[in-house]
Amino acid sequence: MTVTLFHNMVCYYHPDKPAAGLCKYCQRGLCSECATRAGDSLACSGLHEEQVRAMEVLMQKNILQSKRVGSDYIRNTIFYGIVGLLFTAFGASQLRWLGLQAVIYLMIGLALLWAALANYLESRKYK
Ligand SMILES: [Zn+2]
Ligand SMILES: [Zn+2]
């Protein structure tokens, strides 16, 4: 009944030995004898080492892609910064003529500048 659960808890190749970990490729249980380190993960020794290494390389590419997200934050920082400054400057210059309406422009501008700052801080995490 619980075969699927059970086969991950013992070594696939030595059903009498407890599993030390799972092969990243085939998800089978491996004892310390059968497990080989491939990057940060375990692999069936001599069987799935190449596959797991290839998966590790794919993971590395994902990390590189998240660096591209970092430049998105910089683009957002510039966009929110410019629009925020325009709203703030417009609101400040119209404060005398428009009163409360200008205050709303000012508040939108400050909120956009705040968003720019948040994006800037976020972009620094990807450095
Ligand atoms: Zn084994
Ligand atoms: Zn395997």
Side-chain angles (χ1 to χ4, degrees):
M1 290 193 299
T2 53
V3 179
T4 45
L5 245 176
F6 186 67
H7 90 255
N8 284 339
M9 293 165 74
V10 297
C11 177
Y12 178 77
Y13 306 98
H14 305 99
D16 55 321
K17 289 188 184 172
L22 295 180
C23 170
K24 192 174 185 166
Y25 180 72
C26 62
Q27 301 297 315
R28 283 170 180 157
L30 299 169
C31 70
S32 50
E33 242 178 84
C34 302
T36 298
R37 283 230 150 259
D40 291 330
S41 309
L42 293 176
C44 299
S45 186
L47 196 66
H48 293 137
E49 283 172 55
E50 290 304 313
Q51 284 88 335
V52 172
R53 285 228 171 79
M55 287 168 84
E56 291 284 312
V57 170
L58 281 175
M59 296 280 288
Q60 291 288 320
K61 278 186 186 155
N62 283 341
I63 291 163
L64 288 176
Q65 270 163 8
S66 74
K67 272 181 188 161
R68 237 174 274 154
V69 174
S71 66
D72 285 348
Y73 284 116
I74 292 167
R75 208 179 309 141
N76 283 347
T77 305
I78 294 164
F79 176 74
Y80 287 128
I82 290 170
V83 179
L85 278 175
L86 284 174
F87 268 94
T88 309
F90 181 76
S93 69
Q94 299 296 307
L95 199 57
R96 247 192 303 167
W97 323 104
L98 294 176
L100 188 65
Q101 221 181 317
V103 172
I104 291 166
Y105 280 117
L106 257 176
M107 283 169 69
I108 293 169
L110 289 174
L112 286 166
L113 287 176
W114 181 253
L117 181 70
N119 274 279
Y120 173 70
L121 292 176
E122 199 65 33
S123 75
R124 286 174 63 97
K125 287 183 191 170
Y126 292 91
K127 289 279 158 66

